[in-house]
Amino acid sequence: MKKSIDASLVQFRTLISNASRHPKVKPEMEKFGYTDPRMQEAQSLLDQFILWQNEKENCYSQGSALKQKLKQDVKSLKVLYTGHLTIARFAFREDAYMEAHLQLKGTRKSDWAGWTSQVLSFYSRVEAEGLAAMKKHGAKAEELSQGKAMAEALADVYQQKKSNAGDAQSATQKRNAAFKALTRWVSDYKKIARVALQNDPQIMEVLGIVVPSEA
């Protein structure tokens, strides 16, 4: 679809530019109501399309960067968290409350959002209720604080990614709406051009309208 839109955009730019400036096309089309304000309408539609196309591409580029950052941040945090989880399972092996409170049993959640929430909950609860026991069994306070900070940052990046995805979808919808309106305007213009320029059909080629060659 992108190639189709890009190709159409080139044609639309050519038509609008030449239709507004060509000394033969402009006066003939003005007779049918395509005066400067009407041509400015087309230019505004084109500008809107370009605006939202750029916004869409920016959003997807940012989304790709955020996805990569999430992947790297999760990888880094997993190393730290796995070590702390091992210590916690040993430190609280006889404490049913802390085992449940820190979610020490069972497999870890597999999705980014769920896993991040689980890790952040672990560090927050360790900080509040289990710091002494963790330090007693070899965990360093600064590394536990680092783990919590990394989990908080990861949660923030995840929210940014969700927000970015919404922005990208919105920009795509607005781009598509602008493209549809522009396509309709150009289609109507071409229909009138074939009538207005019928005495000089070859001139339509400056608008990107292909005219069959005479035999």
mmCIF file of all heavy atoms in Angstrom, residues 84-133:
data_model
loop_
_atom_site.group_PDB
_atom_site.id
_atom_site.type_symbol
_atom_site.label_atom_id
_atom_site.label_comp_id
_atom_site.label_asym_id
_atom_site.label_seq_id
_atom_site.Cartn_x
_atom_site.Cartn_y
_atom_site.Cartn_z
ATOM 1 N N HIS A 84 18.512 -11.789 42.451
ATOM 2 C CA HIS A 84 17.784 -11.393 43.656
ATOM 3 C C HIS A 84 16.636 -12.357 43.956
ATOM 4 O O HIS A 84 16.316 -12.608 45.125
ATOM 5 C CB HIS A 84 17.248 -9.969 43.496
ATOM 6 C CG HIS A 84 18.315 -8.930 43.566
ATOM 7 N ND1 HIS A 84 18.232 -7.711 42.936
ATOM 8 C CD2 HIS A 84 19.520 -8.919 44.203
ATOM 9 C CE1 HIS A 84 19.321 -7.012 43.180
ATOM 10 N NE2 HIS A 84 20.118 -7.718 43.941
ATOM 11 N N LEU A 85 16.025 -12.890 42.918
ATOM 12 C CA LEU A 85 14.937 -13.856 43.109
ATOM 13 C C LEU A 85 15.474 -15.128 43.761
ATOM 14 O O LEU A 85 14.829 -15.700 44.655
ATOM 15 C CB LEU A 85 14.297 -14.171 41.755
ATOM 16 C CG LEU A 85 13.041 -15.048 41.768
ATOM 17 C CD1 LEU A 85 11.912 -14.365 42.534
ATOM 18 C CD2 LEU A 85 12.601 -15.342 40.328
ATOM 19 N N THR A 86 16.651 -15.546 43.335
ATOM 20 C CA THR A 86 17.278 -16.742 43.913
ATOM 21 C C THR A 86 17.572 -16.527 45.399
ATOM 22 O O THR A 86 17.298 -17.408 46.234
ATOM 23 C CB THR A 86 18.589 -17.066 43.165
ATOM 24 O OG1 THR A 86 18.292 -17.313 41.790
ATOM 25 C CG2 THR A 86 19.263 -18.281 43.765
ATOM 26 N N ILE A 87 18.104 -15.361 45.736
ATOM 27 C CA ILE A 87 18.390 -15.035 47.137
ATOM 28 C C ILE A 87 17.101 -14.997 47.944
ATOM 29 O O ILE A 87 17.013 -15.537 49.066
ATOM 30 C CB ILE A 87 19.122 -13.686 47.244
ATOM 31 C CG1 ILE A 87 20.532 -13.800 46.637
ATOM 32 C CG2 ILE A 87 19.221 -13.230 48.699
ATOM 33 C CD1 ILE A 87 21.272 -12.475 46.558
ATOM 34 N N ALA A 88 16.074 -14.369 47.413
ATOM 35 C CA ALA A 88 14.796 -14.242 48.126
ATOM 36 C C ALA A 88 14.161 -15.603 48.374
ATOM 37 O O ALA A 88 13.604 -15.846 49.458
ATOM 38 C CB ALA A 88 13.845 -13.356 47.317
ATOM 39 N N ARG A 89 14.241 -16.485 47.407
ATOM 40 C CA ARG A 89 13.653 -17.818 47.584
ATOM 41 C C ARG A 89 14.339 -18.580 48.716
ATOM 42 O O ARG A 89 13.685 -19.373 49.422
ATOM 43 C CB ARG A 89 13.737 -18.590 46.272
ATOM 44 C CG ARG A 89 12.666 -18.171 45.257
ATOM 45 C CD ARG A 89 12.891 -18.772 43.899
ATOM 46 N NE ARG A 89 11.728 -18.514 43.024
ATOM 47 C CZ ARG A 89 11.752 -18.663 41.695
ATOM 48 N NH1 ARG A 89 12.868 -19.044 41.083
ATOM 49 N NH2 ARG A 89 10.658 -18.411 41.000
ATOM 50 N N PHE A 90 15.620 -18.342 48.863
ATOM 51 C CA PHE A 90 16.337 -18.990 49.965
ATOM 52 C C PHE A 90 16.063 -18.269 51.278
ATOM 53 O O PHE A 90 15.780 -18.899 52.315
ATOM 54 C CB PHE A 90 17.845 -19.006 49.695
ATOM 55 C CG PHE A 90 18.644 -19.697 50.749
ATOM 56 C CD1 PHE A 90 18.722 -21.081 50.792
ATOM 57 C CD2 PHE A 90 19.296 -18.967 51.737
ATOM 58 C CE1 PHE A 90 19.438 -21.731 51.793
ATOM 59 C CE2 PHE A 90 20.019 -19.604 52.743
ATOM 60 C CZ PHE A 90 20.097 -20.995 52.768
ATOM 61 N N ALA A 91 16.127 -16.932 51.257
ATOM 62 C CA ALA A 91 15.955 -16.143 52.479
ATOM 63 C C ALA A 91 14.577 -16.325 53.104
ATOM 64 O O ALA A 91 14.434 -16.327 54.339
ATOM 65 C CB ALA A 91 16.206 -14.670 52.177
ATOM 66 N N PHE A 92 13.546 -16.497 52.271
ATOM 67 C CA PHE A 92 12.176 -16.588 52.772
ATOM 68 C C PHE A 92 11.568 -17.981 52.569
ATOM 69 O O PHE A 92 10.348 -18.132 52.483
ATOM 70 C CB PHE A 92 11.306 -15.526 52.090
ATOM 71 C CG PHE A 92 11.805 -14.119 52.272
ATOM 72 C CD1 PHE A 92 12.338 -13.411 51.204
ATOM 73 C CD2 PHE A 92 11.781 -13.516 53.521
ATOM 74 C CE1 PHE A 92 12.809 -12.110 51.359
ATOM 75 C CE2 PHE A 92 12.245 -12.218 53.696
ATOM 76 C CZ PHE A 92 12.771 -11.518 52.622
ATOM 77 N N ARG A 93 12.439 -18.991 52.525
ATOM 78 C CA ARG A 93 11.973 -20.360 52.242
ATOM 79 C C ARG A 93 11.047 -20.904 53.326
ATOM 80 O O ARG A 93 10.238 -21.799 53.071
ATOM 81 C CB ARG A 93 13.166 -21.291 52.035
ATOM 82 C CG ARG A 93 14.044 -21.477 53.269
ATOM 83 C CD ARG A 93 15.352 -22.182 52.892
ATOM 84 N NE ARG A 93 16.183 -22.450 54.071
ATOM 85 C CZ ARG A 93 16.936 -21.541 54.673
ATOM 86 N NH1 ARG A 93 16.940 -20.293 54.225
ATOM 87 N NH2 ARG A 93 17.673 -21.864 55.715
ATOM 88 N N GLU A 94 11.132 -20.347 54.522
ATOM 89 C CA GLU A 94 10.280 -20.812 55.619
ATOM 90 C C GLU A 94 9.269 -19.742 56.042
ATOM 91 O O GLU A 94 8.666 -19.824 57.112
ATOM 92 C CB GLU A 94 11.153 -21.217 56.819
ATOM 93 C CG GLU A 94 12.062 -22.409 56.519
ATOM 94 C CD GLU A 94 12.932 -22.777 57.699
ATOM 95 O OE1 GLU A 94 12.882 -22.067 58.732
ATOM 96 O OE2 GLU A 94 13.662 -23.790 57.601
ATOM 97 N N ASP A 95 9.097 -18.743 55.188
ATOM 98 C CA ASP A 95 8.169 -17.639 55.482
ATOM 99 C C ASP A 95 7.077 -17.622 54.406
ATOM 100 O O ASP A 95 7.240 -17.052 53.334
ATOM 101 C CB ASP A 95 8.935 -16.308 55.493
ATOM 102 C CG ASP A 95 8.087 -15.139 55.975
ATOM 103 O OD1 ASP A 95 6.852 -15.203 55.830
ATOM 104 O OD2 ASP A 95 8.661 -14.150 56.469
ATOM 105 N N ALA A 96 5.959 -18.275 54.727
ATOM 106 C CA ALA A 96 4.878 -18.418 53.747
ATOM 107 C C ALA A 96 4.326 -17.068 53.306
ATOM 108 O O ALA A 96 3.969 -16.883 52.127
ATOM 109 C CB ALA A 96 3.763 -19.280 54.331
ATOM 110 N N TYR A 97 4.250 -16.142 54.247
ATOM 111 C CA TYR A 97 3.718 -14.820 53.909
ATOM 112 C C TYR A 97 4.597 -14.127 52.864
ATOM 113 O O TYR A 97 4.095 -13.636 51.849
ATOM 114 C CB TYR A 97 3.616 -13.944 55.154
ATOM 115 C CG TYR A 97 3.365 -12.484 54.836
ATOM 116 C CD1 TYR A 97 2.106 -12.043 54.429
ATOM 117 C CD2 TYR A 97 4.405 -11.542 54.913
ATOM 118 C CE1 TYR A 97 1.887 -10.712 54.116
ATOM 119 C CE2 TYR A 97 4.194 -10.209 54.597
ATOM 120 C CZ TYR A 97 2.936 -9.794 54.200
ATOM 121 O OH TYR A 97 2.720 -8.491 53.874
ATOM 122 N N MET A 98 5.901 -14.085 53.113
ATOM 123 C CA MET A 98 6.804 -13.400 52.180
ATOM 124 C C MET A 98 6.907 -14.137 50.853
ATOM 125 O O MET A 98 7.059 -13.512 49.798
ATOM 126 C CB MET A 98 8.181 -13.225 52.806
ATOM 127 C CG MET A 98 8.234 -12.176 53.911
ATOM 128 S SD MET A 98 7.736 -10.520 53.347
ATOM 129 C CE MET A 98 9.156 -10.041 52.347
ATOM 130 N N GLU A 99 6.806 -15.463 50.905
ATOM 131 C CA GLU A 99 6.820 -16.232 49.656
ATOM 132 C C GLU A 99 5.671 -15.807 48.753
ATOM 133 O O GLU A 99 5.846 -15.606 47.539
ATOM 134 C CB GLU A 99 6.718 -17.737 49.945
ATOM 135 C CG GLU A 99 8.037 -18.413 50.241
ATOM 136 C CD GLU A 99 7.923 -19.929 50.249
ATOM 137 O OE1 GLU A 99 6.812 -20.436 50.491
ATOM 138 O OE2 GLU A 99 8.939 -20.604 50.001
ATOM 139 N N ALA A 100 4.509 -15.664 49.361
ATOM 140 C CA ALA A 100 3.327 -15.248 48.588
ATOM 141 C C ALA A 100 3.400 -13.762 48.243
ATOM 142 O O ALA A 100 3.065 -13.351 47.125
ATOM 143 C CB ALA A 100 2.061 -15.549 49.381
ATOM 144 N N HIS A 101 3.842 -12.962 49.208
ATOM 145 C CA HIS A 101 3.898 -11.511 49.042
ATOM 146 C C HIS A 101 4.849 -11.103 47.910
ATOM 147 O O HIS A 101 4.567 -10.165 47.153
ATOM 148 C CB HIS A 101 4.359 -10.886 50.360
ATOM 149 C CG HIS A 101 4.094 -9.429 50.480
ATOM 150 N ND1 HIS A 101 2.875 -8.851 50.189
ATOM 151 C CD2 HIS A 101 4.906 -8.386 50.875
ATOM 152 C CE1 HIS A 101 2.928 -7.553 50.386
ATOM 153 N NE2 HIS A 101 4.148 -7.241 50.805
ATOM 154 N N LEU A 102 5.960 -11.826 47.794
ATOM 155 C CA LEU A 102 6.964 -11.515 46.758
ATOM 156 C C LEU A 102 6.773 -12.354 45.497
ATOM 157 O O LEU A 102 7.563 -12.247 44.569
ATOM 158 C CB LEU A 102 8.376 -11.732 47.311
ATOM 159 C CG LEU A 102 8.783 -10.886 48.519
ATOM 160 C CD1 LEU A 102 10.195 -11.233 48.966
ATOM 161 C CD2 LEU A 102 8.681 -9.401 48.197
ATOM 162 N N GLN A 103 5.739 -13.186 45.482
ATOM 163 C CA GLN A 103 5.446 -14.046 44.320
ATOM 164 C C GLN A 103 6.677 -14.879 43.950
ATOM 165 O O GLN A 103 7.128 -14.897 42.802
ATOM 166 C CB GLN A 103 5.003 -13.206 43.125
ATOM 167 C CG GLN A 103 3.785 -12.337 43.397
ATOM 168 C CD GLN A 103 3.409 -11.468 42.210
ATOM 169 O OE1 GLN A 103 3.198 -11.962 41.104
ATOM 170 N NE2 GLN A 103 3.320 -10.152 42.428
ATOM 171 N N LEU A 104 7.197 -15.581 44.956
ATOM 172 C CA LEU A 104 8.443 -16.323 44.749
ATOM 173 C C LEU A 104 8.235 -17.672 44.074
ATOM 174 O O LEU A 104 9.177 -18.223 43.495
ATOM 175 C CB LEU A 104 9.156 -16.526 46.101
ATOM 176 C CG LEU A 104 9.537 -15.237 46.850
ATOM 177 C CD1 LEU A 104 10.248 -15.577 48.153
ATOM 178 C CD2 LEU A 104 10.408 -14.343 45.974
ATOM 179 N N LYS A 105 7.041 -18.208 44.169
ATOM 180 C CA LYS A 105 6.786 -19.513 43.562
ATOM 181 C C LYS A 105 6.177 -19.366 42.173
ATOM 182 O O LYS A 105 5.600 -18.353 41.830
ATOM 183 C CB LYS A 105 5.854 -20.330 44.464
ATOM 184 C CG LYS A 105 6.496 -20.758 45.788
ATOM 185 C CD LYS A 105 5.568 -21.664 46.575
ATOM 186 C CE LYS A 105 6.243 -22.164 47.853
ATOM 187 N NZ LYS A 105 5.354 -23.056 48.633
ATOM 188 N N GLY A 106 6.311 -20.408 41.405
ATOM 189 C CA GLY A 106 5.716 -20.424 40.068
ATOM 190 C C GLY A 106 6.603 -19.757 39.022
ATOM 191 O O GLY A 106 7.664 -19.203 39.328
ATOM 192 N N THR A 107 6.160 -19.824 37.778
ATOM 193 C CA THR A 107 6.915 -19.235 36.677
ATOM 194 C C THR A 107 6.660 -17.732 36.630
ATOM 195 O O THR A 107 5.654 -17.236 37.134
ATOM 196 C CB THR A 107 6.504 -19.860 35.333
ATOM 197 O OG1 THR A 107 5.089 -19.690 35.151
ATOM 198 C CG2 THR A 107 6.825 -21.346 35.305
ATOM 199 N N ARG A 108 7.580 -17.032 36.008
ATOM 200 C CA ARG A 108 7.430 -15.582 35.866
ATOM 201 C C ARG A 108 6.455 -15.288 34.713
ATOM 202 O O ARG A 108 6.332 -16.076 33.776
ATOM 203 C CB ARG A 108 8.774 -14.921 35.554
ATOM 204 C CG ARG A 108 9.898 -15.170 36.568
ATOM 205 C CD ARG A 108 9.567 -14.671 37.959
ATOM 206 N NE ARG A 108 8.882 -15.676 38.768
ATOM 207 C CZ ARG A 108 8.394 -15.441 39.991
ATOM 208 N NH1 ARG A 108 8.481 -14.253 40.516
ATOM 209 N NH2 ARG A 108 7.806 -16.412 40.657
ATOM 210 N N LYS A 109 5.790 -14.171 34.779
ATOM 211 C CA LYS A 109 4.890 -13.758 33.694
ATOM 212 C C LYS A 109 5.706 -13.529 32.424
ATOM 213 O O LYS A 109 6.832 -13.039 32.484
ATOM 214 C CB LYS A 109 4.127 -12.499 34.092
ATOM 215 C CG LYS A 109 3.160 -12.746 35.249
ATOM 216 C CD LYS A 109 2.366 -11.500 35.617
ATOM 217 C CE LYS A 109 1.402 -11.798 36.760
ATOM 218 N NZ LYS A 109 0.610 -10.608 37.145
ATOM 219 N N SER A 110 5.124 -13.878 31.300
ATOM 220 C CA SER A 110 5.877 -13.851 30.041
ATOM 221 C C SER A 110 5.735 -12.551 29.250
ATOM 222 O O SER A 110 6.622 -12.188 28.474
ATOM 223 C CB SER A 110 5.452 -15.022 29.141
ATOM 224 O OG SER A 110 4.059 -14.972 28.890
ATOM 225 N N ASP A 111 4.621 -11.837 29.440
ATOM 226 C CA ASP A 111 4.446 -10.595 28.679
ATOM 227 C C ASP A 111 5.188 -9.456 29.366
ATOM 228 O O ASP A 111 5.375 -9.449 30.589
ATOM 229 C CB ASP A 111 2.967 -10.241 28.541
ATOM 230 C CG ASP A 111 2.312 -10.007 29.896
ATOM 231 O OD1 ASP A 111 2.197 -10.991 30.672
ATOM 232 O OD2 ASP A 111 1.934 -8.871 30.193
ATOM 233 N N TRP A 112 5.618 -8.460 28.564
ATOM 234 C CA TRP A 112 6.396 -7.341 29.096
ATOM 235 C C TRP A 112 5.685 -6.635 30.246
ATOM 236 O O TRP A 112 6.271 -6.399 31.297
ATOM 237 C CB TRP A 112 6.684 -6.333 27.989
ATOM 238 C CG TRP A 112 7.861 -6.673 27.151
ATOM 239 C CD1 TRP A 112 8.896 -7.501 27.470
ATOM 240 C CD2 TRP A 112 8.144 -6.183 25.840
ATOM 241 N NE1 TRP A 112 9.800 -7.569 26.444
ATOM 242 C CE2 TRP A 112 9.367 -6.770 25.428
ATOM 243 C CE3 TRP A 112 7.493 -5.320 24.972
ATOM 244 C CZ2 TRP A 112 9.946 -6.511 24.188
ATOM 245 C CZ3 TRP A 112 8.066 -5.051 23.734
ATOM 246 C CH2 TRP A 112 9.273 -5.651 23.342
ATOM 247 N N ALA A 113 4.435 -6.308 30.042
ATOM 248 C CA ALA A 113 3.698 -5.546 31.048
ATOM 249 C C ALA A 113 3.569 -6.347 32.341
ATOM 250 O O ALA A 113 3.814 -5.832 33.439
ATOM 251 C CB ALA A 113 2.325 -5.160 30.514
ATOM 252 N N GLY A 114 3.167 -7.605 32.211
ATOM 253 C CA GLY A 114 2.993 -8.452 33.381
ATOM 254 C C GLY A 114 4.301 -8.703 34.108
ATOM 255 O O GLY A 114 4.368 -8.634 35.347
ATOM 256 N N TRP A 115 5.351 -8.977 33.349
ATOM 257 C CA TRP A 115 6.664 -9.251 33.944
ATOM 258 C C TRP A 115 7.200 -8.018 34.661
ATOM 259 O O TRP A 115 7.692 -8.103 35.781
ATOM 260 C CB TRP A 115 7.638 -9.706 32.860
ATOM 261 C CG TRP A 115 8.989 -10.116 33.395
ATOM 262 C CD1 TRP A 115 9.336 -11.336 33.894
ATOM 263 C CD2 TRP A 115 10.156 -9.288 33.479
ATOM 264 N NE1 TRP A 115 10.660 -11.337 34.289
ATOM 265 C CE2 TRP A 115 11.184 -10.088 34.049
ATOM 266 C CE3 TRP A 115 10.439 -7.965 33.145
ATOM 267 C CZ2 TRP A 115 12.466 -9.596 34.279
ATOM 268 C CZ3 TRP A 115 11.720 -7.470 33.373
ATOM 269 C CH2 TRP A 115 12.720 -8.282 33.934
ATOM 270 N N THR A 116 7.091 -6.872 34.017
ATOM 271 C CA THR A 116 7.580 -5.627 34.624
ATOM 272 C C THR A 116 6.837 -5.326 35.915
ATOM 273 O O THR A 116 7.439 -4.927 36.923
ATOM 274 C CB THR A 116 7.412 -4.451 33.639
ATOM 275 O OG1 THR A 116 8.135 -4.734 32.440
ATOM 276 C CG2 THR A 116 7.949 -3.162 34.240
ATOM 277 N N SER A 117 5.520 -5.506 35.905
ATOM 278 C CA SER A 117 4.715 -5.277 37.100
ATOM 279 C C SER A 117 5.127 -6.218 38.223
ATOM 280 O O SER A 117 5.227 -5.813 39.397
ATOM 281 C CB SER A 117 3.238 -5.470 36.766
ATOM 282 O OG SER A 117 2.439 -5.326 37.914
ATOM 283 N N GLN A 118 5.392 -7.467 37.877
ATOM 284 C CA GLN A 118 5.801 -8.468 38.855
ATOM 285 C C GLN A 118 7.155 -8.119 39.466
ATOM 286 O O GLN A 118 7.345 -8.206 40.686
ATOM 287 C CB GLN A 118 5.864 -9.838 38.179
ATOM 288 C CG GLN A 118 6.058 -11.008 39.121
ATOM 289 C CD GLN A 118 5.949 -12.328 38.390
ATOM 290 O OE1 GLN A 118 6.433 -12.488 37.276
ATOM 291 N NE2 GLN A 118 5.298 -13.304 39.025
ATOM 292 N N VAL A 119 8.092 -7.702 38.624
ATOM 293 C CA VAL A 119 9.428 -7.345 39.097
ATOM 294 C C VAL A 119 9.385 -6.093 39.970
ATOM 295 O O VAL A 119 10.023 -6.028 41.033
ATOM 296 C CB VAL A 119 10.389 -7.131 37.907
ATOM 297 C CG1 VAL A 119 11.741 -6.621 38.392
ATOM 298 C CG2 VAL A 119 10.574 -8.436 37.132
ATOM 299 N N LEU A 120 8.625 -5.090 39.533
ATOM 300 C CA LEU A 120 8.520 -3.851 40.296
ATOM 301 C C LEU A 120 7.879 -4.104 41.655
ATOM 302 O O LEU A 120 8.308 -3.551 42.678
ATOM 303 C CB LEU A 120 7.704 -2.820 39.509
ATOM 304 C CG LEU A 120 7.558 -1.431 40.150
ATOM 305 C CD1 LEU A 120 8.925 -0.826 40.486
ATOM 306 C CD2 LEU A 120 6.789 -0.505 39.224
ATOM 307 N N SER A 121 6.868 -4.969 41.675
ATOM 308 C CA SER A 121 6.219 -5.336 42.924
ATOM 309 C C SER A 121 7.208 -6.025 43.863
ATOM 310 O O SER A 121 7.246 -5.752 45.077
ATOM 311 C CB SER A 121 5.034 -6.265 42.644
ATOM 312 O OG SER A 121 4.464 -6.739 43.852
ATOM 313 N N PHE A 122 8.027 -6.899 43.313
ATOM 314 C CA PHE A 122 9.042 -7.615 44.095
ATOM 315 C C PHE A 122 9.989 -6.634 44.783
ATOM 316 O O PHE A 122 10.194 -6.697 46.000
ATOM 317 C CB PHE A 122 9.823 -8.558 43.172
ATOM 318 C CG PHE A 122 11.047 -9.170 43.797
ATOM 319 C CD1 PHE A 122 10.956 -10.324 44.565
ATOM 320 C CD2 PHE A 122 12.299 -8.584 43.618
ATOM 321 C CE1 PHE A 122 12.086 -10.890 45.143
ATOM 322 C CE2 PHE A 122 13.436 -9.144 44.192
ATOM 323 C CZ PHE A 122 13.330 -10.293 44.967
ATOM 324 N N TYR A 123 10.547 -5.725 44.010
ATOM 325 C CA TYR A 123 11.533 -4.794 44.582
ATOM 326 C C TYR A 123 10.893 -3.823 45.575
ATOM 327 O O TYR A 123 11.494 -3.483 46.608
ATOM 328 C CB TYR A 123 12.246 -4.033 43.470
ATOM 329 C CG TYR A 123 13.342 -4.842 42.818
ATOM 330 C CD1 TYR A 123 13.228 -5.262 41.498
ATOM 331 C CD2 TYR A 123 14.484 -5.194 43.524
ATOM 332 C CE1 TYR A 123 14.239 -6.014 40.896
ATOM 333 C CE2 TYR A 123 15.496 -5.944 42.938
ATOM 334 C CZ TYR A 123 15.371 -6.355 41.624
ATOM 335 O OH TYR A 123 16.368 -7.109 41.050
ATOM 336 N N SER A 124 9.690 -3.387 45.290
ATOM 337 C CA SER A 124 9.004 -2.462 46.198
ATOM 338 C C SER A 124 8.710 -3.131 47.538
ATOM 339 O O SER A 124 8.883 -2.525 48.612
ATOM 340 C CB SER A 124 7.696 -1.969 45.566
ATOM 341 O OG SER A 124 7.954 -1.232 44.396
ATOM 342 N N ARG A 125 8.281 -4.386 47.497
ATOM 343 C CA ARG A 125 7.940 -5.098 48.723
ATOM 344 C C ARG A 125 9.182 -5.533 49.501
ATOM 345 O O ARG A 125 9.176 -5.542 50.742
ATOM 346 C CB ARG A 125 7.050 -6.289 48.382
ATOM 347 C CG ARG A 125 5.663 -5.855 47.925
ATOM 348 C CD ARG A 125 4.815 -6.985 47.392
ATOM 349 N NE ARG A 125 3.492 -6.497 46.987
ATOM 350 C CZ ARG A 125 2.544 -7.257 46.464
ATOM 351 N NH1 ARG A 125 2.768 -8.557 46.253
ATOM 352 N NH2 ARG A 125 1.387 -6.731 46.126
ATOM 353 N N VAL A 126 10.234 -5.880 48.764
ATOM 354 C CA VAL A 126 11.498 -6.198 49.425
ATOM 355 C C VAL A 126 12.005 -4.956 50.161
ATOM 356 O O VAL A 126 12.447 -5.028 51.315
ATOM 357 C CB VAL A 126 12.561 -6.684 48.418
ATOM 358 C CG1 VAL A 126 13.967 -6.593 49.006
ATOM 359 C CG2 VAL A 126 12.278 -8.120 47.994
ATOM 360 N N GLU A 127 11.928 -3.820 49.504
ATOM 361 C CA GLU A 127 12.385 -2.566 50.094
ATOM 362 C C GLU A 127 11.600 -2.241 51.366
ATOM 363 O O GLU A 127 12.165 -1.750 52.362
ATOM 364 C CB GLU A 127 12.234 -1.441 49.077
ATOM 365 C CG GLU A 127 12.747 -0.088 49.554
ATOM 366 C CD GLU A 127 12.550 0.995 48.497
ATOM 367 O OE1 GLU A 127 11.376 1.307 48.167
ATOM 368 O OE2 GLU A 127 13.565 1.503 47.993
ATOM 369 N N ALA A 128 10.310 -2.528 51.326
ATOM 370 C CA ALA A 128 9.450 -2.174 52.456
ATOM 371 C C ALA A 128 9.511 -3.172 53.606
ATOM 372 O O ALA A 128 9.448 -2.779 54.781
ATOM 373 C CB ALA A 128 8.004 -2.042 51.981
ATOM 374 N N GLU A 129 9.657 -4.475 53.281
ATOM 375 C CA GLU A 129 9.508 -5.494 54.324
ATOM 376 C C GLU A 129 10.623 -6.548 54.397
ATOM 377 O O GLU A 129 10.700 -7.274 55.389
ATOM 378 C CB GLU A 129 8.175 -6.235 54.137
ATOM 379 C CG GLU A 129 6.952 -5.333 54.183
ATOM 380 C CD GLU A 129 5.666 -6.093 53.926
ATOM 381 O OE1 GLU A 129 5.400 -7.071 54.658
ATOM 382 O OE2 GLU A 129 4.936 -5.726 52.984
ATOM 383 N N GLY A 130 11.446 -6.633 53.378
ATOM 384 C CA GLY A 130 12.391 -7.751 53.373
ATOM 385 C C GLY A 130 13.842 -7.370 53.199
ATOM 386 O O GLY A 130 14.679 -8.226 52.898
ATOM 387 N N LEU A 131 14.166 -6.106 53.363
ATOM 388 C CA LEU A 131 15.519 -5.637 53.080
ATOM 389 C C LEU A 131 16.559 -6.290 53.995
ATOM 390 O O LEU A 131 17.619 -6.729 53.537
ATOM 391 C CB LEU A 131 15.580 -4.116 53.218
ATOM 392 C CG LEU A 131 16.835 -3.425 52.674
ATOM 393 C CD1 LEU A 131 17.059 -3.769 51.206
ATOM 394 C CD2 LEU A 131 16.724 -1.914 52.852
ATOM 395 N N ALA A 132 16.245 -6.363 55.263
ATOM 396 C CA ALA A 132 17.204 -6.926 56.217
ATOM 397 C C ALA A 132 17.525 -8.378 55.895
ATOM 398 O O ALA A 132 18.698 -8.799 55.901
ATOM 399 C CB ALA A 132 16.652 -6.804 57.642
ATOM 400 N N ALA A 133 16.506 -9.178 55.611
ATOM 401 C CA ALA A 133 16.720 -10.598 55.309
ATOM 402 C C ALA A 133 17.502 -10.773 54.011
ATOM 403 O O ALA A 133 18.374 -11.649 53.913
ATOM 404 C CB ALA A 133 15.376 -11.308 55.223
#
